[in-house]
Every structure is written in C-alpha cells, then in structure tokens.
Amino acid sequence: MTPDDQAPPAAAAASTGNDATIAQALQAAMTLQDVFGFPGDVADEAIEAVGVDVTTCYNYILDKGLAQDQGGPIVPITNCPHVQHHVLVTPEQLPPIPQHAPCSHEMRQQQGTGSAKRDTEEDGSCPSAENWICLHCGVIRCSRYINGHGVAHYEATLEKDLAANPDGVGHCVAASLSDLSVWCHACKAYLKGPKVEAVTKKLEEFKFGK
C-alpha cells in the first residue's frame, strides 16, 4: 500500500467508514493536537484505542504516559451538582498510603461469562499503578486502562440507582490515587471546590508526607 492509499490519520477509529464518524475522529485529533499539544501519532493512537471523546482520549494519553499536556489544561468544573450527596468519604477514611492501595475488586470467574482479568500481578491482583477511590462508599478500584473495575463499580451502582429512581446517578465521584484528580462520571468532568479539595489535600499529605 502506498502512502496515497493509506487512510487519513485518526480515521482508523472509524472502522465503518462512516463520514460522520471520520469527521468526529478528525476533529478529536485536531483538538488533542492544537489545544493540548499532543503529537499526531499519539492522538491517533488514543482515538483508535478509546474512541473520539476528547476527554477520554486525554485521560488515556496521560494514564499511559504517552505524552505530556503541552497546551491548555482541561479546566475542572466547580458547580458539579453531585458533590454534596456523593462525596461522603471523609479525609480520615482515605488510604494512608494512596499510591499502594490495592484494587479491592474480587474477580470471580463465572461459567460462560468469559470474565477474566486482562492485566494481573503474580498473586492475581490488579496492578496498583492507577487506582481510584469511590468518594461515595470508599471502595478502591483500578483504572479503565488496567482492568476497568472503577468504571464497572460506577456502572453497577448507576444501574442499581436507576432501578429505584429515574434520576439516579450511582456512585459517580471518584478520586485518582495516582494524580489526585477528582472525576465525576455523571458530569464527565474533573472537579474542584472546597469539599473535593479537602479530600485531595489529605491524599496529598498521605502521599507526599506534607
């Protein structure tokens, strides 16, 4: 195949060849490069791996250590409506050594489900490089880029909430034990504010001994 025959960069994410999807992929690639300063090949890799959502691609690139943000930062929101009722973990309940707190998910192999950890340590546990703590209930789960147990926890609690209340949002707020950022699944945004910062400040103290 000659270079002229190759698909445009980032179009690999659009396996169906749908024009709208290709346009979204190209727009996402442009944003990742122009706004955040990521190299084109890194932007393309992220889009191919996780799709065209810019925030998801941004997280993928940073979590995988593929590049550093050289452009404008993603600005955390200060008006998340879920903080009041879903940030219930107190600073005293946080893990004292955040960077080594393990994913507490117990994977149970069920016949016919094909569920198995994709990435495990020798003892069968998830790697602790990128774990998150649910700020609603305090469970610790691994990143979507390890075995996805953090997202699975959110989705399971969301399903349970929606069964009881059509406005349910599940356990939607979590904090990274790696970079200490706070994410709301429902808002699809990073968060800041007094209640959130009380948590991240304590995690910082534990992690860096301040």
Side-chain angles (χ1 to χ4, degrees), residues 30-39 42-43 54-55 57-76 179 190:
M30 289 176 61
T31 301
L32 291 167
Q33 294 175 70
D34 296 343
V35 176
F36 303 110
F38 295 133
V42 170
V54 171
T55 301
C57 289
Y58 178 93
N59 291 340
Y60 175 87
I61 290 168
L62 295 189
D63 286 352
K64 290 292 186 180
L66 301 178
Q68 293 185 345
D69 182 353
Q70 301 297 327
I74 290 181
V75 179
D179 65 13
Y190 288 104

Side-chain angles (χ1 to χ4, degrees), residues 98-118:
Q99 62 271 34
H100 297 308
C103 173
S104 56
H105 176 86
E106 294 182 2
M107 179 67 79
R108 294 181 174 85
Q109 185 76 29
Q110 297 181 358
Q111 184 176 5
T113 65
S115 58
K117 290 181 180 177
R118 300 186 300 275

Side-chain angles (χ1 to χ4, degrees), residues 72-86:
I74 290 181
V75 179
I77 64 173
T78 59
N79 60 345
C80 171
H82 309 109
V83 168
Q84 181 177 358
H85 299 294
H86 296 281

